[in-house]
Each structure stands twice: as structure tokens, then as C-alpha cells.
Amino acid sequence: MTTHGTVRPGGRTARTRAAVREATLAELVAHGYQGLTVEGVAARSGVHKTTLYRRWGNVEGLIADALELASGEPWPIPDTGTIDGDLRALAREVLIGFTDPQAGPVATAFVAAAVQNPAAGRALHTFFRARHEQSAPIVDRAIARGELPAGTDSVEVVRVAIAPLYFRLFVTGEPIDETVADRAATAALTAARAGVFVTSPPPEPASS
Amino acid sequence: MTTHGTVRPGGRTARTRAAVREATLAELVAHGYQGLTVEGVAARSGVHKTTLYRRWGNVEGLIADALELASGEPWPIPDTGTIDGDLRALAREVLIGFTDPQAGPVATAFVAAAVQNPAAGRALHTFFRARHEQSAPIVDRAIARGELPAGTDSVEVVRVAIAPLYFRLFVTGEPIDETVADRAATAALTAARAGVFVTSPPPEPASS
């Protein structure tokens, strides 16, 4: 999906886009969302600011584009051999993603931008749809191994395993650590084993 | 806790503050966070905008003050007689709080402001500390009734019961409804019954 200009892989437009994206991420790390400016991205990327304004519109457009590219990147989903190990690893990945000195400010800025700007919001939602789809095999494999009941909603298990981390980060402002991550994963797993996330069978078609 | 001027209950300053707070909430309902302006609050409250700028600083200051007052308001916590009923009622309250045509835009604006502004963030975090403390009796009563194991972290049960709603609202942009709310409450309860939220005993002091 391309929203800005014509992108040919390896072409000049693609290289410009990659440079702008890298500069956007670097500026986010350096200054946070509040300090992100089109001028800063122009200076860092070497792309003239009039080009940035014309093709990306504003800082939210720059963030949305960086997120859109990030959505397409392959993501190493945990495969530890057990659902317990996989869900814990997944929650730890979220923890690390937001507390890492390099990645944390970028991830935080993405969510902050999504709350403030509809285009960034749509990009973040697309990003999570992709991540959810990529995470589903964790649960599907557990069902195949007999660890979880058939019919378990794979995405819902993943959501519940990581939601407490986001709740603390972006709503209550409470700290997150490995204990919080492990407990969230264990709570989701316990509920999943008990069948809480088994989706109902589809309703019978109405007789006509 | 007072951060702006001298507030005497029933005094002129308190009345001004109440009027400004009501106007802030009404403007949030009418225009959302992005459309909230000091001028709009001035027009609606009848308080001159130079007074607003002097005492509240900006729109984030207005939001932070409205939240600070909201934190002190008594909140009807569910008391249905069972932990299952109470946690479901709690999750439903969150659902209603964000989907109600009047309250929803205000609640959403509070979280959005907190992400963007440190003062609003501190006010939101204080608000949740108060809400968490007010919710703890739900779990404490369940322990007393023998529904949950002794030593269960009451606030953590509440967090996990409502976190999936906030995760959808402010991160993934996925819809929320009664099914989502009920499932989140049931997942938290299932984990709580299994002892997932029993806090470890404090570590032994190191021998010296």
C-alpha cells in the first residue's frame, strides 16, 4: 500500500522514503514526539523541507509513514515450544520495546501521535492488525499441541497478555517491569486454558 | 490538594473554579480535546480569559484541574454480592464511561491530554490511584467471602479486568462492547481464582 508518490523498490523515491523514515525515527529518539519537527527531519535526512511538506504534509504524516513501513517488516514471533514460554516472551518483547533506550521513545511517540492525529491513528491500528495476525500462530500451535482448547480466539489471548502493559504505560502511568509482564502473560494463559477465549460457534443461518 | 490560587469551599474562588471546570467539561463534550480553547472556556464560564491564562496557564492546565476535582468525587463501586458480578459491573462501567455520548468524549479527552501534557498526565495518574484505591474493596470482600485466595493483589485484579478495554480504545483502535468487557472481567477473575495475583511474601532481609 502506497500513499505518497510512486515508490519503486530500490528506486530514487524508495531511497528518499527510507532516508526520511530513518531520520524520523532518529529525531523521535533524540527529541520525542513533542520535539519532532519537519525541519529537524529535513536536516537529518538531507531531503529539502519543501519536499517533506509536499509529500508528507506534517510531522503526523511522517510518523504515519514510518509506522506503515514498520507494519510490513517481518517480526520474530516467539517459538519456545510451550504456550507459557511464548506468551511470556511476547509480553517481555513489549516490555523491552517500550523500555529500551533506543526503541522506547519511538514506540511511545507512535502511540502518542496516534492519540493526537487521525492519520497516525489509522497507521497504528494497521500496525496492530499486522502484529496480531503475526502473533496468532503462537496460540494456533498451542491448540495443535493440546495446550489450549480448540476454538480459542488467538488474537484475544495475545491482546489480554499484553494489554496490562499498555494500560500502565499510557493510562495510569504506573511502572512496568518483568514481574508485570510475566503476570499479564500468566493471567491470559490461565484464562485461555479455562476456555475463557473460546469463541462461540457462529449462529445458525436464519431460516428463510 | 490545591495548585491554583486559594480555594475556600463555597467561597468566590471555589465558585469560579467550579464554573471553569463545568465549562471545560462542556467544551470537551462539544468540541473534543483538539477543539478545546481557553477562549471557548472563557465564553462558556463567563470568566475572563486573562484570568484563565493567569490561573490555569493553558488548556492542559484546565483539563488537569478538572481531573483533579474529579478524583475527589465519590464513585459508586459495584457491590453485587459476588466477585463475578462486581468485576463485570466494573468493566461495564468503563465501557459505558467511554461510549456514553456525554461522558465518552470527556473521558477520551482526559487520556489524550495526559499523553500530550505532563501536568495532565500527572492529574490522570492521580485520578487512577484514587480509583484503584476505591475499587480495592471489591476484591477484599471477595477474599472475605472465600471467593478468592488470601493475599490476592486487589488492584492488580482490577487493572487486568479493565486493561483490555483501554488497550483497544487507545492503542489498537479496535471496538469495545459488552462481550469485550465481560470477557476481560472473566479472564481477570479466572486468573485471580487460580492465584495468579497472589503477591509473593516479602523477601527475607539479607543477613548482614
Side-chain angles (χ1 to χ4, degrees):
Chain A
M1 184 174 63
T2 303
T3 54
H4 307 289
T6 303
V7 177
R8 288 168 294 118
R12 192 166 67 90
T13 305
R15 285 197 302 276
T16 299
R17 192 183 185 195
V20 169
R21 181 202 174 198
E22 290 305 315
T24 300
L25 298 180
E27 286 289 296
L28 281 173
V29 171
H31 307 299
Y33 174 75
Q34 301 293 346
L36 184 69
T37 63
V38 173
E39 286 71 17
V41 173
R44 195 181 281 263
S45 66
V47 176
H48 199 278
K49 70 176 180 180
T50 56
T51 303
L52 296 181
Y53 278 115
R54 190 176 69 245
R55 288 181 46 194
W56 282 271
N58 51 31
V59 292
E60 285 79 15
L62 289 166
I63 289 179
D65 194 38
L67 251 179
E68 188 184 310
L69 280 172
S71 299
E73 288 194 347
W75 186 53
I77 63 165
D79 189 6
T80 64
T82 67
I83 183 64
D84 186 35
D86 285 357
L87 285 178
R88 282 172 184 258
L90 196 70
R92 292 281 185 103
E93 280 186 15
V94 173
L95 170 69
I96 293 166
F98 282 100
T99 54
D100 178 81
Q102 289 294 310
V106 175
T108 303
F110 279 157
V111 179
V115 170
Q116 297 172 59
N117 178 270
R122 285 189 294 273
L124 189 73
H125 303 161
T126 301
F127 175 83
F128 270 94
R129 272 199 299 279
R131 280 285 186 271
H132 284 339
E133 282 177 24
Q134 290 166 335
S135 306
I138 289 175
V139 174
D140 297 337
R141 286 193 304 255
I143 295 171
R145 286 191 299 255
E147 291 182 297
L148 291 179
T152 298
D153 181 333
S154 52
V155 173
E156 191 67 2
V157 177
V158 170
R159 286 191 195 99
V160 171
I162 62 177
L165 295 165
Y166 288 92
F167 181 57
R168 286 170 177 259
L169 280 166
F170 295 101
V171 182
T172 69
E174 294 165 307
I176 60 172
D177 58 19
E178 295 185 348
T179 301
V180 170
D182 289 354
R183 197 166 42 206
T186 302
L189 175 59
T190 304
R193 281 187 176 137
V196 172
F197 305 120
V198 173
T199 49
S200 307
E204 295 290 315
S207 56
S208 57
Chain B
M1 183 175 63
T2 303
T3 54
H4 307 288
T6 304
V7 177
R8 289 168 293 120
R12 190 165 68 90
T13 305
R15 284 197 302 275
T16 298
R17 192 184 184 193
V20 169
R21 181 204 175 197
E22 290 304 318
T24 301
L25 297 179
E27 286 289 297
L28 281 173
V29 171
H31 307 299
Y33 174 74
Q34 302 293 348
L36 185 69
T37 63
V38 173
E39 286 71 16
V41 173
R44 195 180 282 264
S45 66
V47 176
H48 200 277
K49 70 176 181 181
T50 55
T51 303
L52 296 181
Y53 278 114
R54 191 176 69 245
R55 287 181 47 194
W56 280 271
N58 51 30
V59 292
E60 284 79 16
L62 289 167
I63 288 178
D65 193 39
L67 251 179
E68 189 184 310
L69 279 172
S71 299
E73 288 193 348
W75 186 54
I77 64 165
D79 189 5
T80 65
T82 68
I83 183 64
D84 186 35
D86 284 359
L87 286 178
R88 281 172 184 258
L90 195 70
R92 291 281 185 104
E93 280 185 16
V94 173
L95 170 69
I96 292 164
F98 282 99
T99 55
D100 177 81
Q102 290 294 311
V106 175
T108 303
F110 280 156
V111 178
V115 170
Q116 298 172 59
N117 178 269
R122 285 189 295 273
L124 188 73
H125 304 161
T126 301
F127 174 84
F128 270 94
R129 272 199 298 280
R131 280 286 184 271
H132 284 340
E133 283 177 23
Q134 290 166 335
S135 306
I138 289 175
V139 174
D140 296 338
R141 287 194 304 254
I143 295 171
R145 286 191 298 255
E147 293 182 296
L148 291 180
T152 297
D153 181 333
S154 53
V155 173
E156 191 67 3
V157 177
V158 170
R159 287 190 194 100
V160 172
I162 62 177
L165 295 166
Y166 287 92
F167 180 57
R168 286 171 176 259
L169 281 166
F170 295 102
V171 181
T172 69
E174 294 165 308
I176 60 172
D177 58 19
E178 295 186 347
T179 301
V180 170
D182 290 353
R183 198 166 43 206
T186 302
L189 175 59
T190 303
R193 281 188 177 136
V196 172
F197 305 119
V198 173
T199 49
S200 308
E204 295 289 317
S207 56
S208 58

